[in-house]
């Protein structure tokens, strides 16, 4: 068989060269093969292909050198087996968007009114009759004027068309932007494959069937494949099966790797067998209907999928039996699971959206009330005036004329409503967020969830990693302890005994991932490039500094020859590689955190090159004399050790890790320096000035952490802040039962600045503790940075999760909200600035919008009641609405941020959108504008010596008087837009105005259009030309609002205690107790929903447009985060993004990361083998079920205590224990505390 496969692969290579022979394996065969799981798949591969190499031969690829990478070959594979893409859903066309914009209730009412008005204007009753219908019906008009009656109706229709087109265009450009962003996120995803014998990184979409892909810890698999070679490979398949435990992949038991699953441990090589819509994820995707297909095919696939899930489930249960001897139920029936996924509770609306929806509802209700009142008063006045005061008898002939009046009144009422409803609000939010997101790209922040940007402005705490974020992640070995001597710089190779040097170089060569290497610099004289894990790069660099080449070691011992690899994970905190010697003995090399590995050493190599015994006393000496001095200089200490297993003792039990990893011989301890990024101390100073606490959470030892924290400015000399280790932290936050208590966390976190030697669980506990804390009156808003797979839970839990773009694993990127493309802490400060800016932009817009609203509504209302006609006509109102909504939101929402934003504390979740100062500005300017307008309205004809426009008959020509009123009104808004730029009562409103070209062009543009409307608008806009003197007066009155603004800002806000603020989030006490109970754990307090429930249903239908905008934001959230769960199948369009359902996946795995406790006994751990007491029945709780009550929410579902706190014993510590939350008081608990 073997010879056969070798011949096959040779034949394969030849075929590749000729490009003639077709693949002797069809798409259908591969699909059928990938449907199988576990042992079945192994037997199938053996029956059909001999082994994986046989399959490689059939697919014309080499397991060692991969594809040759020629473009013809790649294209042929794409044709034959498909591309690694899932076709995206078509975007909405412009016409669809227009149709959606037309659904707005207020616009529909206006259209209907305009059409009726049009119809009636063509009806001409006999003139004689006309006189008898009351004076308001007017005398005989000139024919031309009566003819022009249709113009108003037409103009309203036209302006409706304008509004609709503008809205649709906005939506369309947003969708375009979002798609651009999404494709940018997808292009950033690369994967390592072997082509032509070289490891290259290619885009995920370029992967083809037959590629040999390298998978490693933290990858999200982009395609289906079969394992060729693996080291300790464990996969989280919960995204496909809903099972939270990790599945071990081996060549002889289960070699199938599926797309959309995560590599949680280990590394390996796979042969890609299915891509795009033929991979498991793609098949499920097509079931979800993202790619339209015929019903029959679908049904067939449904069956396959059911089968697949059944298989996986059966296999899982079998596996579990094999592993633990304890059967565990699958988490949930799959059907239920899918339902669960669909009804997943949506995350809390962002704070801002909650406040805005509430505010919009309130304003809209007021507007509805005012407009109804206006119509009522107009109709009543007309009826009383005509039938009672003038005593006109009722006659059928006059009916159409009365109808015209009623339609006119109705139109006035609707325009009042149109002006009152702030449909620009959501638009402003969307524009502001979309603009910020675009600009944040330039500041190295790739925003995946739109509202993260705004939440960041409220952040009060940042929990940052150390490596790579605060430091440069360019590691070098600067000190070493070797052969019994402590060198403060890298020693000359001659000073080290040859035997020790050989052991050291071989250990470094084989026990660093083969994907890690040091490449020559790109530019002349630059630093060598470090590829892969940076700590390992430092060790490889160390071997080069000792003038020995690690590559020669790797050439002698290629990766295939490694006997066994225990890869690094957060529990082991070490990595070991076992080599088999010719005489049947084994040698294992280990490297890891020095204080952990030294505990496992019983010998140490001395200057003679021999090993002498290494007792706990010697170890304490070494720690004091070497490790602590290194750590206090901020160096990371790594211990390198080895162990021989002689052939005489027979083969050891490789699964018993605790035994394997004991009795080591220490070769050397190295100190690795990772310099602090030069810009970090300044960035941290800015954060502290802006009221944000920076905490460092790191896996490094406490002295290193303290040294780096002092260099960064997190710890200042003389502060009494806490700096503790994960172990101590856990001891302090748990009660004697071993449960975490919020009160205990509350005692620690306000002072905590550095948490060292922390496990991912500690990070999650800390973040959760700070968020749930009620010590301070403000709820803390926490941002977290993370790069490793194990940071997933903390990133999900945080209000804003930052993942590292360069060093981050796919899993971390998925759990995050923002990706830092340069891994730099100072980019987080930029994100804070942009977040605060969004908030301020929206407040600016509100201040402007509400002033216009108040004035326009009052003018229309009073005017209508006193003069029987609104001074501002329907078309004029629509123009005003367009300026204040669409243009102003563009102008004010795109202000760039300034450093000044970082000089104040965060606003917090409760702060109202409209502060007292803003209320003062709104009312102050409202008073000025109303005074001017009413003066012009009732005394304008005397001042300007023109005819009065009041009480004009039905189709009267437009008057100069009303044109002046309209013109002044608009000019006051234009100048008030400048006032609105400042919301904290600053005096200089022009400051930085030229930094925002959009603002300047919009203000100028509005002015020009206004001029055109007044001079050439004529009848449709009810305007008459004004002369230069009148224009100057109007402009002067407009400018007055700038001067008046200075007066308003001179009044101290503290005098105006009676002013109310508006736009709070829903206050806690307004929500009924029971609802609060339900919501507390998930913070699912969706303010908008709360409001709606309270009988606002009717009004909300009218808020159609607002909801649409919010929907756009939500759609954005779903589509930009291609990963955001399964709610919207359309939103994902690359296979890589699919099926990760993070809220589902990551929360399920939250508890899996066991607590690590470093005081494992010295070496006697193996004796504790089976002391596990009784295991309580598995609790199949999905983490999104609500916990029973609030005081328990820190135990049962959120955090699961592993059965053993003994990190060296993987058997029980593997996450299979994750589904067994110990009940308080169970044998497990007492066991745990006793340990």
């Amino acid at each position: 068989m073997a010879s056969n496969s070798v011949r096959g692969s040779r034949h394969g290579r030849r075929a590749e060269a000729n490009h003639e022979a077709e693949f002797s394996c069809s798409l259908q065969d591969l699909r059928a093969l990938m449907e199988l799981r576990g042992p079945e798949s192994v037997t199938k591969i053996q029956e059909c292909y001999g082994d994986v190499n046989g399959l490689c031969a059939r697919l014309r690829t080499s397991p060692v050198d991969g594809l040759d990478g020629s473009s013809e070959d790649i294209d042929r594979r794409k044709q034959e087996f498909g591309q690694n893409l899932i076709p995206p859903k078509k975007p909405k066309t412009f016409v669809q968007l227009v149709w959606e914009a037309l659904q707005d209730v207020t616009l529909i009412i206006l259209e209907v009114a305009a059409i009726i008005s049009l119809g009636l204007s063509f009806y001409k009753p006999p003139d004689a009759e006309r006189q008898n219908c009351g004076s308001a019906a007017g005398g005989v008009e000139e024919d031309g004027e009566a003819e022009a009656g249709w113009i108003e109706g037409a103009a309203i229709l036209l302006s409706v068309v304008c509004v609709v087109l503008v809205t649709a265009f906005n939506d369309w450009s947003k969708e375009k932007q979002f798609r651009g962003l999404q494709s940018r996120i997808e292009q950033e995803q690369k994967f390592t494959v072997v082509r032509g014998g070289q490891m290259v990184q290619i885009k995920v979409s370029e992967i083809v069937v037959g590629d040999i892909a390298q998978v490693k810890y933290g990858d999200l698999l982009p395609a289906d494949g079969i394992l060729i070679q693996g080291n300790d490979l464990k996969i989280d398949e919960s995204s496909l099966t809903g099972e939270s435990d990790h599945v071990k992949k081996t060549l002889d038991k289960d070699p199938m790797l599926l797309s959309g699953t995560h590599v949680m441990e280990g590394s390996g090589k796979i042969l890609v067998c299915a891509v795009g819509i033929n991979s498991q994820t793609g098949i499920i995707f097509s079931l979800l209907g993202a790619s339209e297909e015929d019903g029959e095919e679908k049904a067939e696939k449904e069956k396959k999928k059911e089968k697949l899930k059944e298989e996986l489930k059966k296999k899982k249960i079998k596996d579990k039996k094999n592993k633990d001897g304890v059967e565990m139920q699958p988490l949930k029936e799959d059907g239920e699971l899918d339902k669960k996924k669909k009804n997943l509770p949506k995350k809390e609306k962002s704070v801002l959206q909650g406040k805005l929806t509430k505010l919009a509802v309130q304003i809209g209700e007021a507007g509805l009330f005012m407009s109804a009142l206006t119509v009522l008063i107009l109709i009543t006045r007309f009826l009383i005036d005509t039938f009672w005061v003038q005593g006109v008898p009722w006659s059928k002939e006059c009916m159409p004329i009365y109808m015209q009046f009623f339609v006119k009144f109705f139109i006035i009422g609707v325009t009042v409503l149109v002006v009152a409803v702030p449909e620009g609000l959501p638009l402003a939010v969307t524009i502001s967020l979309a603009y910020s997101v675009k600009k944040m790209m330039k500041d190295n922040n790739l925003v995946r969830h739109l509202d993260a940007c705004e939440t960041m402005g409220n952040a009060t705490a940042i929990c940052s990693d150390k490596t790579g974020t605060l430091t440069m992640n360019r590691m070098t070995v600067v000190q070493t302890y070797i052969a019994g001597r402590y060198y403060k710089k890298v020693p000359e190779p001659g000073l080290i005994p040859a035997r020790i040097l050989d052991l050291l170089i071989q250990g470094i060569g084989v026990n660093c991932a083969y994907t890690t290497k040091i490449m020559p610099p790109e530019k002349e004289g630059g630093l060598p490039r470090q590829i892969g894990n940076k700590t390992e790069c430092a060790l490889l660099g160390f071997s080069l500094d000792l003038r020995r080449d690690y590559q020669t070691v790797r050439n002698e011992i290629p990766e295939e020859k490694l006997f066994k690899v225990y890869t690094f994970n957060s529990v082991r905190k070490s990595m070991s590689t076992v080599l088999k010697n010719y005489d049947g003995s084994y040698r294992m090399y280990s490297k890891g955190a020095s204080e952990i590995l030294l505990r496992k050493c019983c010998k140490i190599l001395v200057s003679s090159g021999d090993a002498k015994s290494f007792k706990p006393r010697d170890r304490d000496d070494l720690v004091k004399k070497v490790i602590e001095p290194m750590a206090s200089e901020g160096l990371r200490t790594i211990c390198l050790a080895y162990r021989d297993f002689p052939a005489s003792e027979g083969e050891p039990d490789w699964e018993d890790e605790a035994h394997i990893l004991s009795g080591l011989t220490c070769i050397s301890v190295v100190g690795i320096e990772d310099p602090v990024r030069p810009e970090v101390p300044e960035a941290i100073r800015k954060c502290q000035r802006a009221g944000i606490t920076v905490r460092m959470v790191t896996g490094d030892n406490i002295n290193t952490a303290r040294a780096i924290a002092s260099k960064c400015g997190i710890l200042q000399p003389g502060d009494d802040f806490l700096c503790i280790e994960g172990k101590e932290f856990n001891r302090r936050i748990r009660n004697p039962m071993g449960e975490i208590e919020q009160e205990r966390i509350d005692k620690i976190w306000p002072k905590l600045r550095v948490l060292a030697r922390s496990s991912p669980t500690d990070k999650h506990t800390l973040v959760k503790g700070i968020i749930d804390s009620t010590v301070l009156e403000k709820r803390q808003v926490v941002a977290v940075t993370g790069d490793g797979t194990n940071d997933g839970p903390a990133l999900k839990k945080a209000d804003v999760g930052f993942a590292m773009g360069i060093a981050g694993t796919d899993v971390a990127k998925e759990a995050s909200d923002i990706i830092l493309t340069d891994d730099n802490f100072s980019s987080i400060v930029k994100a804070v600035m942009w977040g605060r800016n969004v908030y301020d932009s929206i407040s600016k817009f509100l201040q402007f919008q509400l002033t216009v609203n108040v004035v326009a509504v009052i003018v229309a209302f009073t005017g209508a009641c006193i003069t029987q006609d609104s001074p501002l006509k329907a078309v004029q109102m629509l123009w005003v609405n367009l300026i204040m909504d669409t243009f102003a939101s563009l102008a004010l929402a795109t202000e760039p941020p300034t450093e000044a934003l970082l000089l104040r504390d965060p606003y917090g979740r409760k702060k109202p959108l409209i502060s007292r100062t803003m209320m003062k500005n709104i009312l102050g300017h409202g008073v000025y504008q109303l005074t001017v307008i009413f003066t012009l309205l009732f005394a304008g004809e005397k001042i300007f010596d023109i005819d009065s426009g009041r009480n004009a008959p039905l189709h009267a020509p437009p008057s100069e008087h009303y044109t002046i009123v309209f013109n002044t009104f608009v000019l006051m808004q234009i100048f008030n837009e400048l006032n609105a730029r400042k919301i904290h009562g600053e005096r200089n409103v022009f400051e930085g105005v030229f930094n925002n070209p959009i603002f300047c062009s919009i203000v100028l543009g509005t002015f020009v259009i206004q001029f055109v409307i007044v001079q050439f608008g004529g009848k449709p806009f009810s305007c008459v030309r004004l002369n230069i003197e009148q224009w100057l007066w109007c402009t002067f009155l407009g400018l007055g609002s700038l001067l008046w603004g200075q007066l308003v800002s001179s009044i101290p806000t503290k005098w105006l205690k009676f002013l109310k603020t508006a736009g709070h989030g829903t206050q806690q006490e307004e929500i009924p107790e029971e609802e609060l109970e339900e919501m507390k754990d998930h913070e699912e307090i969706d303010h908008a929903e709360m409001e709606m429930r309270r009988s606002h249903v009717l009004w909300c239908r009218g808020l159609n447009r607002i909801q649409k905008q919010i929907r756009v934001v939500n759609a954005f959230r779903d589509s930009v985060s291609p990963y955001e769960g399964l709610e919207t199948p359309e939103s994902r369009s690359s296979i890589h993004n699919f099926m990760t359902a993070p809220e589902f996946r990551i929360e399920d795995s939250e508890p899996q990361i066991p607590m690590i406790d470093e005081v494992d006994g010295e070496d006697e751990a193996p004796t504790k083998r089976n002391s596990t007491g009784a295991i309580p029945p598995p609790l199949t709780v999905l983490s999104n079920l609500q916990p029973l009550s609030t005081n328990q929410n820190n135990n049962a579902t959120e955090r699961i205590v592993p059965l053993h706190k003994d990190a060296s014993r993987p058997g029980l510590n593997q996450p299979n224990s994750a589904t067994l939350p110990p009940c308080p008081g169970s044998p497990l608990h007492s066991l745990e505390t006793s340990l």
Side-chain angles (χ1 to χ4, degrees), residues 339 361 375 404 534 556 609 613 617 782 786 893 1092 1127 1172:
K339 263 183 256 153
V361 171
V375 175
Q404 273 178 320
K534 298 295 189 261
E556 279 166 34
S613 75
R617 198 178 60 247
V782 184
M1092 313 265 163
E1127 315 95 38
T1172 323

Side-chain angles (χ1 to χ4, degrees), residues 178 346-351 353 433 448-452 454 817 1110-1125 1127-1128 1131:
F178 301 160
K346 269 279 202 303
K347 261 174 92 182
E348 176 183 1
K349 270 221 178 87
S350 78
V351 188
Q353 271 180 316
L433 287 174
R448 293 185 51 241
H449 299 150
L450 202 54
D451 54 349
E454 155 244 322
D817 303 294
I1110 288 178
R1111 238 187 344 249
V1112 171
V1113 176
N1114 286 339
F1116 175 65
R1117 221 185 281 157
D1118 292 341
S1119 60
V1120 166
S1121 61
Y1123 320 107
E1124 201 40 87
E1127 315 95 38
T1128 49
S1131 62

Side-chain angles (χ1 to χ4, degrees), residues 225-265:
I226 296 178
L227 194 63
I228 296 177
Q229 175 254 326
N231 307 322
D232 200 13
L233 197 58
K234 292 205 180 83
I235 307 281
D236 171 11
E237 290 186 347
S238 59
S239 56
L240 280 178
T241 60
E243 296 292 331
S244 58
D245 2 336
H246 303 167
V247 184
K248 203 161 180 168
K249 297 288 180 187
T250 52
L251 286 168
D252 46 357
K253 293 232 179 65
D254 181 6
M256 302 309 229
L257 282 86
L258 306 176
S259 53
T261 58
H262 292 90
V263 183
M264 298 313 275
E265 259 183 56

Side-chain angles (χ1 to χ4, degrees), residues 563-694:
F563 180 76
K564 181 158 181 63
V565 178
Y566 297 96
T567 49
F568 181 88
N569 65 25
S570 56
V571 179
R572 288 191 189 116
K573 293 241 192 254
S574 66
M575 170 177 174
S576 312
T577 302
V578 183
L579 304 176
K580 185 169 185 177
N581 302 330
Y582 296 114
D583 58 1
S585 63
Y586 297 92
R587 172 170 285 174
M588 177 179 77
Y589 287 105
S590 295
K591 66 171 192 301
S594 53
E595 52 268 57
I596 293 175
L597 265 199
L598 284 175
R599 261 191 235 125
K600 318 259 179 109
C601 291
C602 63
K603 295 197 181 113
I604 187 164
L605 296 175
V606 290
S607 48
S608 60
D610 302 321
K612 82 169 187 34
S613 75
F614 185 62
K615 299 198 169 59
R617 198 178 60 247
D618 305 329
R619 188 180 73 226
D620 297 340
D621 257 10
L622 188 65
V623 168
K624 266 201 195 60
K625 296 204 171 109
V626 176
I627 292 176
E628 283 177 3
M630 280 184 184
S632 61
E633 290 176 38
L635 304 185
R636 189 176 197 164
T637 55
I638 299 284
C639 171
L640 302 162
Y642 79 103
R643 176 179 178 183
D644 283 326
F645 299 94
S648 55
E649 289 178 14
E651 183 162 345
D653 171 11
W654 298 111
E655 291 309 307
D656 179 4
E657 262 182 69
H659 172 67
I660 298 285
L661 211 67
S662 59
L664 305 178
T665 306
C666 170
I667 305 174
S668 164
V669 173
V670 295
I672 296 179
E673 180 183 45
D674 186 6
V676 172
R677 287 174 181 263
E679 63 278 15
V680 162
E682 174 57 21
I684 286 180
R685 218 175 18 260
K686 279 184 189 164
C687 282
Q688 288 163 342
R689 200 173 56 218
I692 302 170
T693 312
V694 182

Side-chain angles (χ1 to χ4, degrees), residues 21 214 310 359 410 452 515 627 648 693 809 902 983 1083 1120:
Q214 284 275 358
E310 284 305 307
L359 194 66
F410 187 59
T515 47
I627 292 176
S648 55
T693 312
T809 59
L902 293 176
I983 49 174
E1083 284 156 30
V1120 166

Side-chain angles (χ1 to χ4, degrees), residues 426-488:
L427 184 70
V429 182
T430 321
I431 289 179
S432 177
L433 287 174
Y435 170 78
S436 307
V437 166
K438 216 167 156 182
K439 291 286 191 207
M440 281 167 81
M441 290 275 223
K442 294 200 177 78
D443 284 337
N444 303 311
N445 283 299
L446 179 64
V447 180
R448 293 185 51 241
H449 299 150
L450 202 54
D451 54 349
C453 170
E454 155 244 322
T455 315
M456 207 44 221
N458 280 326
T460 54
I462 297 175
C463 294
S464 171
D465 268 3
K466 174 177 79 74
T467 310
T469 317
L470 300 174
T471 57
M472 286 167 76
N473 205 8
R474 231 209 111 73
M475 310 223 183
T476 41
V477 172
V478 287
Q479 299 188 4
T480 176
Y481 174 85
I482 190 165
R485 281 191 60 189
Y486 177 20
Y487 297 94
K488 289 281 189 175

